[in-house]
Amino acid sequence: KAVVSTQSTGVALPHYIEFLYLGDNTGEGDEAIWRDDIPEIVFNPLREHEEDAEPGYHTEYHLQLVHTALQVGRDGNVVDPYQYSYSTKYPKSKSPYPSIKFFFDWSPITIKYGIKDYYYSDLGGRLIATIGGCFTIAMFLHTFLISSTQTFLLRVSPLTSTTLGA
């Protein structure tokens, strides 16, 4: 009589993830071209990830995906890579062969990175608004000082004045 064991005894599944991009890749192959202010790690946190799995356990990767609109040039072309974070779980395997599983959870938010073009008219408008604001504040201070000085002089003047009568 043969006994079949459903428990995995000595089978392990170690693995190495070279890279994992989701969505549009902005470069050739796995060499994505990112701007200096956008770190690549938010788009590829599993780059060069090595996992030494224990015998008899599955490896589960739970990925939280966030849609990203990335404008990589001034021409307005937008690519759609996904940022993701992950967590790893190691449940006990009920089959003789463990597995590697990926679970995806999409977030309803979109993060936008891009290049904002500023024109000289924007700079001129902000400069004029700043100067106008300074003059407005100066006008309020001047008005306050004049009115408070006049009020002070009107209240003080009857006390210091004398009437010379004949």
Side-chain angles (χ1 to χ4, degrees), residues 10 15 50 59 81 108 120 127 136 147 157:
H15 55 278
E50 188 169 356
T59 303
Y120 287 114
L127 185 63
T136 303
S147 64
S157 64

Side-chain angles (χ1 to χ4, degrees), residues 63-69 82-83 104-112:
L63 280 74
Q64 174 70 38
L65 299 168
V66 177
H67 179 253
T68 307
Y82 283 86
Q83 296 182 41
F104 299 96
D105 184 23
W106 274 271
S107 175
I109 328 175
T110 297
I111 297 176
K112 294 183 179 182

Side-chain angles (χ1 to χ4, degrees), residues 51-111:
E51 190 68 50
D52 296 327
E54 294 291 323
Y57 287 90
H58 294 294
T59 303
E60 294 181 355
Y61 292 98
H62 295 266
L63 280 74
Q64 174 70 38
L65 299 168
V66 177
H67 179 253
T68 307
L70 178 63
Q71 179 184 351
V72 291
R74 293 195 180 276
D75 55 0
N77 291 337
V78 176
V79 293
D80 294 310
Y82 283 86
Q83 296 182 41
Y84 66 92
S85 61
Y86 73 96
S87 63
T88 311
K89 293 184 181 177
Y90 306 99
K92 182 80 173 151
S93 175
K94 294 181 182 176
S95 72
Y97 303 104
S99 63
I100 300 172
K101 299 176 183 177
F102 288 90
F103 297 94
F104 299 96
D105 184 23
W106 274 271
S107 175
I109 328 175
T110 297
I111 297 176

Side-chain angles (χ1 to χ4, degrees), residues 35-55:
R35 293 181 48 83
D36 293 335
D37 55 346
I38 303 171
E40 187 218 354
I41 193 68
V42 298
F43 295 101
N44 191 12
L46 283 173
R47 182 181 193 96
E48 299 178 1
H49 175 76
E50 188 169 356
E51 190 68 50
D52 296 327
E54 294 291 323

Side-chain angles (χ1 to χ4, degrees), residues 118-127:
Y118 288 104
Y119 301 102
Y120 287 114
S121 60
D122 294 336
L123 177 65
R126 289 182 181 184
L127 185 63

